[in-house]
Amino acid sequence: MRITCPICGTRDRREFYYMGDAVYAQRPGAGAAPEAWDDYLHLRDNPAGVTRDLWFHEMGCSAWVIVERDTVTHEILSTTLASDAKGQGA
């Protein structure tokens, strides 16, 4: 699988570290209830089909990248810098 880093271009997926669902970038606020932190840390969906994942470009520019991909076909649909996606559901 090849992932297009918005900064470095298309790279082998081994340059990236998978961090999970893109909602991981939406941390609860400092005053959030313990239940909010429990949900954030432990409850994850594992759907078959299109997902938005958070990847770290470890062997490149060290960017956090939101990758929209199909978990069934492994097709990459889009990539966005996580900093650009903030406030857009990422």
Side-chain angles (χ1 to χ4, degrees):
M1 186 167 69
R2 299 191 50 86
I3 297 173
T4 300
C5 172
I7 296 172
C8 302
T10 303
R11 300 287 193 258
D12 189 272
R13 83 117 202 113
R14 290 174 289 190
E15 288 191 16
F16 297 82
Y17 185 80
Y18 174 76
M19 297 300 294
D21 193 312
V23 298
Y24 192 67
Q26 296 174 322
R27 296 174 56 115
E35 295 80 16
W37 280 101
D38 184 54
D39 289 352
Y40 170 75
L41 292 171
H42 303 291
L43 300 180
R44 296 281 184 258
D45 292 331
N46 190 19
V50 176
T51 64
R52 287 172 42 93
D53 304 320
L54 184 61
W55 293 72
F56 179 66
H57 195 180
E58 185 175 35
M59 295 181 181
C61 61
S62 298
W64 291 93
V65 180
I66 303 291
V67 177
E68 185 176 14
R69 67 185 179 100
D70 188 317
T71 61
V72 176
T73 64
H74 298 292
E75 178 185 4
I76 303 292
L77 305 171
S78 68
T79 58
T80 309
L81 287 175
S83 59
D84 292 346
K86 215 165 187 148
Q88 298 175 15

